[in-house]
Each structure stands twice: as C-alpha cells, then as structure tokens.
Amino acid sequence: MSLLSASSSRPWAKLNVGLLARRVPRAFLSTVPRTVAGFLEWKPTNSVDEVQVNGYVRSVRAQKKTHFVSLGDGSSMDFLQAVVPADKAEGLTIGAAVRLHGSWAPSRGQGQTHELQVQHADVLGPSDAKTFPLQKKYQTPEYLRSMPHIRPRIPFNSALLRFRSEIITSLTQFFDSRQFVQTHTPILTSADCEGGGEVFDISVDKQSSSSDANSNTHFFRRPVYTTVSAQLHLEALAQAVGNVWTLSPTFRAEQSDTPRHLSEFYMLEAEMSFTDHLDSVMDLVEDMLRHVGNALSDSKVVKELSTRTAEGSSDLASIEEVAARWRGLRSKSWPRITYTEAIEILKNSDEPFSQKLQWGQDLQTEHEKFLAAHVGKGEAPVFVTNYPRSIKAFYMKSNGDRDDELTLGETVDCFDLLVPNFCEIAGGSMREHRLQDLLDSMRQLGMRTSHDDVDPDETNEVASGGNLDWYLDLRQWGCPPHGGFGIGFDRLVCYLSGVQTIRDTAAFPRWHGRCDC
Ligand SMILES: NC(=O)C[C@H](N)C(=O)O
C-alpha cells in the first residue's frame, strides 16, 4: 500500500508501505514509521487525518449507504479496510487499481482497530468485475496455473515472490561473506553439461537462399542449445578468479510430468577451485542452507506464509511439516552416507522396493524419501555420496575403485542432498581435472571428442555432449583440483514454503506441453 503526496501544500504522507518510507512530511514523522516492511506494520494504531493509499481492490461488500472495500498491494498478505460512501464508490470493483484519499480512523467494525474512511476515490486502472478471473472463493491450482500473468496478484503468490527475493538476498550475503565472485554464465551453449541429451536445440533452420552454404542450416553455423547447467562455464571462470557462483536460468527438455520438474528453472551453482575434498563442497552447501535458515527465521514474509489460507494457489504441506523443515535446515549435523550404504539400508527395509533394488540402480524418489525419513530422522537433510559411475555425469572424478569390468563397481566422488518429505534438492561433485582420466571417463560413457580418432561426421554430437573441446582445453593449462554443486532454486523455494509443486513457486512455469505466456 503506498501513501502518496497529492500536492506539496497538503501534508499527505508520502511513502511506500511495502518498501521504504520516502519524504514523509514532518507532521507525520511521529505517526508514520520511517521504514516499514509490510502493510501489516504500516497500519498505525493512532488516527491520521489525511492519507492517500494506492492499491488493488480485493473485494467489495456493498451496502445501501456504504461500500466496504478490502484493499491490498502485494506488499503483504494482509489488506486494509476502506469504508467508502456509496456515492463515491463508482468504479471500485474487484481487481481495480485505485488511489483512495481519506483519514485513518478507529473502526467500529470487527477485525480491525482502524479503517480508511474514504473521502474521495480515483480509479486509476478500472477492472470489469464480471470478467475478473480471481474471485474470492476457492479456485483450483490448475485453473490458476492457466493464467500465470494474473496469478501473482493472489496475496499468497505475491508473498511467495517476496520470499523468493529474500532467499536470493540471503544467498548473496552468504557468498559475499565467503568471497565468492558472482558471475553470469551463458544461456546459449554448444555443450551439453550433463551429457544426457536433454538439451533444447535452438539452432534455427533459416531455409535461407543465401549463397553461404552454412547460413541455411544453423543460425550459429553449428548446433546450439539452451544450457542444462552453468557448471562447465563456472569451472572455466573458477580457474580464473577462484570461487564463483551464479543463479541462472536452466533448461531441460525432460518429459517428466512431476511436481518437481520444470523445463525452465533457476539453478544456483557454485564452483570452488583448489579444493581437494568433496567434504569441503558439502560443508559449503550445509553452511549456505543453514545461513538461509538462520537469516530468514525472523523474516516477516516467512511468518506470513505460515499464516497462509486456503486462498493460495497451491496444495500446501502442513504448518508443522514446514516448521520441521526449517528446524532441519538449522540442525547441527547432517548425516553423510555412501550410495553403497544407502542401498544396504534400503534393501534391509520392509518397503516393497527392498527386494528388487540392485547396486548400480539410480535412486528413485521413494528411495530418497525413505532415506531422508530414516537416516535424517525426518528433519535433517542427508548427503548420499559415491554413486556408481554409470549413472552419473562424465565430469565427475573417479574414486579410483574401478575394477576390470569397465564401470561395474566404479564410484565417483559426488553427492546428492536429500531433504525429508521431498526429494533430492542439490547435487555436486569433485570434477575430473586430469585430462586423460576425463577422456577415459567420457569414452566409458560412449562420448567421442576431437581427441578420439573418429570421423566428426560419424559422431553423434548430442550423445557426445555437444562441443566439449573447450572444456577439455581447460585441463591442458593449469587445472587445479576443484569441485562444486548445483541446487534447484525453485525446488528450494518449494521446500521452504511448503508449496507442494514447483509449478506454483515459479511465476511463469514451463513444463512438457505447457508454456502459457
Ligand atoms: N553445478 C552442478 O554441480 C550441477 C550439476 N551440473 C547438475 O546439473 O546437476
């Protein structure tokens, strides 16, 4: 809600209640706090003679002489009650953007001590109440997802946006305090970092009549994809400036129709150079998430989210469950077990999957949930390390336990971080920094590069990770031991807010078959 100065001769309070008070006239300094962090906090318990309030009409209750208008502005899930004489209420319809002028005075109604008694209303952006899509009744998450451009106006969804912003601020503080350099990595790339072929190929077939033979095939004269991970580029930058991090858009052409997958999402990734042990990378992840847990434990928006109502656009985890997640994040020790130990635990369980599970298989969500519930006692996140080479990416450093049967039995120096009642939220590894070992690992996984004696025309570029020659170059000139991790940022927001699907924490979600606006 913002209060604005109408003219310099009138003592209107001028501030944006959602953010910072600005140029508050002297007369108001005693009544209006200079800094207010949310709408709830603005509402003073004393009267204020003349105020102007900007906001959106959330609902209207029209009586014969008076209209009761709930006003919100996205700075809080709360609203302000405005009492408007019926003859001044024209255009105050649900969804309208308005500026109300009046006085802040004690209320006789229930539910608030004060209300805005409106003397004059300006309708700045009218709204047709009949067609306004957000009605004050339960609307299914799927219906709301069909209009991502309007959905953020729901108070719960705007709180999620503010929450997301607070997490970014606390992560930035954390990495600053550790002297990590924040970097920007490219969206368009000629490499497939995960080597999984889940890239979107955005090379444009121009069908051009140009005489240049190359120009009518690919815009960039070679196959180009949207990035599946910033990691490889971060490794290059870490070799230049030391520890680096980024929070950037990431794209995966997976056909997974689950609450945990999006085709476009944000990934937070960090890379540490001159690092010999995976433990340092896991320590970093743990410290980072604990920092977020501590920094935001007093956050107003977190408190707001915990008072959420059924009006939210998403199915929500229970308040107790969300409180346990925050406790878990702040807990002192996070268990670290190996993949082999994890398989043993799962095989010894009474769960239906226990009989079928084999060493070498990737862990499914049901396995991860079981481990988080039992190893982490349902609160602390759990690191699972040393996965088999055959199910992990080519760049991961071998643990040196390779046997004669190629990849069978070999594990890599990596981890997945599992959080209770959710799924894998982060993954990281030591990177293979020795050229020959990296090439061996790529060959084992069937990837061919210019170091191999094969006809480039015969090479399936996507299966070979796209163009990785530059990545191999890094190993030729001063490549120290290094490691890093990536954490799905939208998943983190889900986990900490209790929203059950990533389709509701990303403002404009894209998944297989859906890209609405
Ligand atoms: N930066 C990372 O370690 C993330 C990793 N490349 C992944 O996509 O899972």
Side-chain angles (χ1 to χ4, degrees):
M1 196 71 44
S2 54
L3 305 174
L4 296 171
S5 171
S7 80
S8 53
S9 63
R10 303 190 70 187
W12 299 116
K14 176 161 185 164
L15 80 166
N16 183 332
V17 174
L19 298 166
L20 287 177
R22 289 185 211 119
R23 277 185 274 144
V24 180
R26 246 166 222 287
F28 284 88
L29 286 179
S30 56
T31 56
V32 180
R34 190 169 274 280
T35 303
V36 271
F39 178 80
L40 258 180
E41 289 208 356
W42 171 72
K43 293 175 175 176
T45 49
N46 53 315
S47 302
V48 181
D49 285 346
E50 291 180 273
V51 290
Q52 293 185 73
V53 180
N54 283 341
Y56 301 92
V57 175
R58 298 258 188 254
S59 66
V60 186
R61 190 160 48 86
Q63 292 186 350
K64 205 164 173 205
K65 293 192 176 152
T66 312
H67 290 197
F68 296 93
V69 174
S70 295
L71 215 63
D73 72 348
S75 66
S76 158
M77 280 170 67
D78 194 20
F79 62 89
L80 175 149
Q81 161 137 298
V83 182
V84 192
D87 60 341
K88 307 231 161 73
E90 196 180 339
L92 299 187
T93 53
I94 186 164
V98 299
R99 180 170 295 153
L100 303 180
H101 310 250
S103 57
W104 185 245
S107 169
R108 268 176 283 145
Q110 284 189 342
Q112 65 278 322
T113 62
H114 286 67
E115 63 197 15
L116 187 70
Q117 292 175 354
V118 175
Q119 285 134 23
H120 174 68
D122 289 325
V123 177
L124 307 179
S127 165
D128 178 0
K130 284 203 195 74
T131 53
F132 185 64
L134 301 177
Q135 296 298 328
K136 242 194 154 235
K137 61 176 187 192
Y138 179 76
Q139 296 182 300
T140 66
E142 191 42 39
Y143 168 72
L144 295 170
R145 275 175 218 133
S146 70
M147 43 182 170
H149 55 308
I150 307 289
R151 186 175 65 158
R153 298 188 202 184
I154 297 169
F156 183 79
N157 290 68
S158 50
L160 275 178
L161 287 174
R162 285 181 277 114
F163 178 51
R164 199 180 166 94
S165 165
E166 285 195 355
I167 301 178
I168 297 170
T169 303
S170 82
L171 287 167
T172 309
Q173 283 163 350
F174 172 79
F175 281 114
D176 264 5
S177 73
R178 299 284 177 111
Q179 282 93 44
F180 275 63
V181 179
Q182 187 178 12
T183 58
H184 290 139
T185 45
I187 303 291
L188 302 184
T189 167
S190 57
D192 170 6
C193 170
E194 293 306 297
E198 285 167 349
V199 287
F200 286 103
D201 186 340
I202 55 99
S203 314
V204 181
D205 281 330
K206 296 194 76 175
Q207 305 282 320
S208 131
S209 56
S210 159
S211 54
D212 179 346
N214 284 323
S215 71
N216 62 5
T217 52
H218 294 300
F219 185 85
F220 293 104
R221 301 193 175 173
R222 54 151 302 111
V224 166
Y225 321 103
T226 49
T227 185
V228 296
S229 165
Q231 178 196 318
L232 307 188
H233 295 91
L234 277 186
E235 287 184 55
L237 300 179
Q239 258 175 261
V241 289
N243 298 343
V244 288
W245 76 287
T246 190
L247 175 62
S248 41
T250 307
F251 306 85
R252 300 234 170 140
E254 287 179 90
Q255 300 203 350
S256 310
D257 187 11
T258 81
R260 314 271 181 253
H261 291 90
L262 289 178
S263 313
E264 175 183 331
F265 57 97
Y266 271 74
M267 183 142 67
L268 186 154
E269 297 182 84
E271 206 59 37
M272 301 165 83
S273 61
F274 293 100
T275 296
D276 301 293
H277 300 292
L278 188 67
D279 277 326
S280 324
V281 183
M282 291 191 281
D283 289 347
L284 181 73
V285 175
E286 204 176 312
D287 290 350
M288 177 192 82
L289 289 176
R290 197 173 290 121
H291 173 88
V292 171
N294 288 330
L296 299 192
S297 58
D298 274 340
S299 144
K300 283 170 212 81
V301 68
V302 171
K303 288 193 182 109
E304 273 188 285
L305 286 173
S306 68
T307 61
R308 63 265 170 86
T309 64
E311 190 198 2
S313 71
S314 180
D315 299 325
L316 300 166
S318 72
I319 289 178
E320 296 73 34
E321 163 64 31
V322 176
R325 292 177 182 185
W326 284 84
R327 271 199 308 278
L329 221 57
R330 295 196 298 266
S331 66
K332 287 247 157 46
S333 64
W334 298 11
R336 296 177 184 185
I337 59 169
T338 64
Y339 166 88
T340 304
E341 287 164 343
I343 292 289
E344 280 308 299
I345 293 169
L346 294 166
K347 278 171 100 86
N348 291 331
S349 75
D350 291 331
E351 298 298 308
F353 52 66
S354 64
Q355 299 306 313
K356 284 178 259 153
L357 200 61
Q358 299 286 334
W359 195 99
Q361 269 176 249
D362 205 357
L363 300 182
Q364 306 300 317
T365 307
E366 55 181 347
H367 306 136
E368 295 176 344
K369 282 193 171 164
F370 183 90
L371 292 170
H374 291 81
V375 181
K377 307 264 183 299
E379 277 198 11
V382 177
F383 287 101
V384 180
T385 62
N386 299 0
Y387 282 72
R389 142 86 57 223
S390 53
I391 56 171
K392 287 294 182 189
F394 70 94
Y395 50 73
M396 293 186 180
K397 191 173 176 186
S398 168
N399 278 320
D401 51 359
R402 188 179 308 170
D403 61 25
D404 292 341
E405 300 259 334
L406 274 185
T407 61
L408 198 67
E410 182 192 356
T411 62
V412 280
D413 204 8
C414 71
F415 69 84
D416 276 358
L417 179 66
L418 316 180
V419 287
N421 285 319
F422 201 68
C423 64
E424 177 236 317
I425 204 169
S429 72
M430 292 303 292
R431 320 306 189 188
E432 186 49 81
H433 68 286
R434 298 154 302 186
L435 180 63
Q436 281 314 318
D437 294 65
L438 182 57
L439 286 169
D440 280 355
S441 148
M442 293 173 78
R443 285 173 191 137
Q444 278 181 33
L445 295 170
M447 299 165 76
R448 295 289 169 264
T449 71
S450 61
H451 291 250
D452 295 298
D453 188 18
V454 285
D455 179 351
D457 292 340
E458 304 267 298
T459 310
N460 176 341
E461 192 181 85
V462 172
S464 290
N467 167 26
L468 289 169
D469 285 347
W470 63 273
Y471 183 67
L472 295 170
D473 271 0
L474 296 175
R475 272 69 189 160
Q476 311 212 59
W477 302 300
C479 189
H482 62 285
F485 73 90
I487 181 164
F489 186 69
D490 301 270
R491 283 190 184 179
L492 180 66
V493 177
C494 262
Y495 185 66
L496 293 178
S497 62
V499 170
Q500 304 281 44
T501 165
I502 200 168
R503 294 175 185 178
D504 294 336
T505 50
F508 296 99
R510 281 95 171 79
W511 69 94
H512 183 230
R514 285 289 287 275
C515 182
D516 287 348
C517 72

